[in-house]
Amino acid sequence: MRDILTAPFVKEMMDTTANMYRLGWDERNGGNISYMLEEEEVKEYLDLDKVIRTIPTGFQADSLIGKIFIVTGTGKYFKNVKDDPETNLGIIRIAEDGTTAELLWGYKDGGRFTSELPAHLMSHMARLSVDPLNRVVIHSHPTHTLAMNYVHELDEKKFTHTLWEMCTECIVVFPDGVGVLPWMLCGNNTIGEATAEKMKEFRLVVWGMHGIYGAGRDMDETFGLIETVEKAAQIYMLTAHLPRVNTIKDSEMVELAEAFGVKYRKDFLNL
Ligand code: 13P
Ligand code: ZN
């Protein structure tokens, strides 16, 4: 059996959490990541018959039965993952009953997966139903995105449109737009279900006055989606209080989307 600390998926979790912490997006224990793994890649490092303990999830995830995820721990700080992955991360498999997580590795101090597991696993189910290659869900509290929530209408058409106007590449990177949820209590099945509903349509979902969720086929795609929204939100926050002299016009966004061959939300433009 190979040393799990050398597994590429553990390294990706360590690098991504460190990066997000360094960017200031994930203060204290803010943010969480779940990454679906292939059984084939995990069994090189772990005996899949050895369950350390079981943890109830509190919801049904029948379409994920037997699926394995590496997930950040609840209350754990992104800045600490790199130095102690076995305490701050865990590898879980959804058991036959669809509602129990079997711990295969990690959460060494007796901890458990993120309190946002409902939103993560429900989002995985929703994304997999529209894109069978989806693997990663990331939740974060990026500074400018969050700031924008306080000064911009929380309407998904208007919010997406403003972001698209802020950087030329935005409509190309997230042509499907950004879903928006109002402020809701976090860490429960209700917000999980609402997030998953949006995830059928969007790879990005803003949680009003809280943060953002991104979903994608790998860590780079998912991180890049959030990073691009955050960049656009930063430009917005740097300019919103100043007179707007120039902007990217809707006709130019159409030109971009057509040139790059992306399927975009036409109804989010004012044509
Ligand atoms: P956890 O520490 O449970 O992952 O929660 C952090 C967070 O961002 C809640 O939304
Ligand atoms: Zn959060």
Side-chain angles (χ1 to χ4, degrees):
M1 209 63 75
R2 298 169 67 181
D3 176 5
I4 184 121
L5 296 179
T6 66
F9 50 83
V10 173
K11 188 173 180 318
E12 277 183 281
M13 292 292 281
M14 296 193 296
D15 289 346
T16 307
T17 48
N19 196 14
M20 292 171 74
Y21 175 72
R22 188 183 50 78
L23 286 163
W25 299 356
D26 297 281
E27 73 293 341
R28 201 174 180 274
N29 64 310
N32 20 78
I33 305 181
S34 60
Y35 180 5
M36 196 169 102
L37 307 174
E38 298 297 333
E39 197 178 296
E40 287 304 307
E41 58 180 338
V42 185
K43 75 176 187 212
E44 283 186 47
Y45 303 94
L46 292 178
D47 177 355
L48 297 179
D49 293 327
K50 232 162 105 189
V51 174
I52 299 169
R53 57 192 157 96
T54 57
I55 313 169
T57 66
F59 59 93
Q60 283 301 134
D62 290 351
S63 61
L64 298 179
I65 290 171
K67 299 285 186 207
I68 300 171
F69 295 87
I70 186 163
V71 186
T72 52
T74 186
K76 299 296 191 254
Y77 294 23
F78 273 18
K79 76 180 177 69
N80 296 337
V81 175
K82 218 165 186 143
D83 285 338
D84 189 359
E86 197 173 350
T87 300
N88 294 290
L89 303 173
I91 296 181
I92 57 168
R93 177 174 58 204
I94 304 305
E96 277 305 311
D97 63 2
T99 184
T100 303
E102 299 172 327
L103 182 65
L104 302 173
W105 175 81
Y107 307 143
K108 200 175 67 177
D109 60 353
R112 51 186 281 144
F113 41 74
T114 172
S115 60
E116 306 295 3
L117 195 76
H120 278 260
L121 293 196
M122 291 178 195
S123 291
H124 277 282
M125 291 192 276
R127 287 308 305 164
L128 286 166
S129 72
V130 292
D131 178 10
L133 297 178
N134 194 85
R135 292 287 175 273
V136 179
V137 173
I138 298 179
H139 165 57
S140 182
H141 305 159
T143 314
H144 301 90
T145 307
L146 200 43
M148 185 172 163
N149 276 218
Y150 290 86
V151 297
H152 193 285
E153 269 178 88
L154 291 176
D155 167 272
E156 52 204 20
K157 174 179 172 170
K158 290 180 184 162
F159 201 87
T160 299
H161 190 271
T162 299
L163 292 172
W164 281 351
E165 281 179 313
M166 293 299 122
C167 308
T168 292
E169 304 244 304
C170 278
I171 194 167
V172 180
V173 175
F174 52 95
D176 39 349
V178 178
V180 178
L181 289 176
W183 184 91
M184 291 174 77
L185 186 63
C186 58
N188 57 38
N189 291 352
T190 308
I191 198 167
E193 284 153 11
T195 309
E197 201 47 45
K198 294 284 180 201
M199 282 281 180
K200 291 180 187 159
E201 212 180 323
F202 302 101
R203 288 172 299 156
L204 287 158
V205 179
V206 163
W207 275 10
M209 278 80 70
H210 180 143
I212 191 163
Y213 269 76
R217 294 178 171 184
D218 57 34
M219 203 64 89
D220 269 355
E221 181 193 351
T222 314
F223 179 82
L225 282 168
I226 296 175
E227 185 181 28
T228 308
V229 167
E230 172 62 1
K231 177 63 177 273
Q234 182 172 12
I235 307 292
Y236 178 76
M237 293 310 296
L238 285 169
T239 56
H241 57 295
L242 301 171
R244 178 89 68 89
V245 179
N246 299 304
T247 196
I248 303 170
K249 300 187 198 78
D250 284 29
S251 60
E252 291 167 336
M253 291 190 217
V254 173
E255 242 185 278
L256 273 163
E258 284 173 359
F260 286 88
V262 293
K263 205 167 146 264
Y264 64 103
R265 286 291 298 251
K266 287 197 178 63
D267 58 324
F268 281 7
L269 290 180
N270 303 310
L271 296 168

